[in-house]
Structures are given as structure tokens and as C-alpha cells.
Amino acid sequence: MLDEIFEGSAIEKWKEIVFHANPSVVGRELERLLEELAKAELVSEGKELTRENIAWQMQNLAITSMSEILSQNE
């Protein structure tokens, strides 16, 4: 089984797991990644890492991502 997990592209395997795993678990992981991305963007913009700034940036990233997905899904 380990050979199957590590065979091929890690990104493709990750996407396969995300598509088939428990939605609650995937949701928590996607939110964690969104938070990390928000923090990185705030740091790169020289902004303070406050809870409010992180939450605002996460919302902004989520809206941008939804827009990208919906515009390409038509």
C-alpha cells in the first residue's frame, strides 16, 4: 500500500485524496491551508498578523478562489 501512496505525482495523489476523503476532514485541511496562505500574503505585504487581518485575508482569498472556480465552471 505504501508503494501506491508514494507512486507518481504527490500533487495528483493529494488531489485524489482530497476528492475522496471525508468532507469534514478535507474542509479543515483546506481552511488550514487558506490560513497559511493568508499569513504568507500578509507578511509579504508588510501587514501585521492579527487575528482580524488573518480572518479578513482568508475571506478575501476564499472569495477570489470561488470566483475563479465559478468563472471556469460555466
Side-chain angles (χ1 to χ4, degrees), residues 10-55:
I11 294 170
E12 290 303 315
K13 183 57 72 176
W14 177 75
K15 289 192 290 187
E16 183 180 331
I17 289 169
V18 166
F19 292 143
H20 295 97
N22 179 302
S24 296
V25 174
V26 172
R28 285 192 303 271
E29 178 61 10
L30 290 174
E31 192 165 328
R32 185 191 70 78
L33 292 171
L34 194 61
E35 182 175 351
E36 292 301 315
L37 181 57
K39 289 176 182 177
E41 287 196 4
L42 288 169
V43 167
S44 74
E45 295 169 0
K47 295 183 180 172
E48 193 175 352
L49 290 180
T50 64
R51 194 174 299 165
E52 293 80 20
N53 283 351
I54 294 167

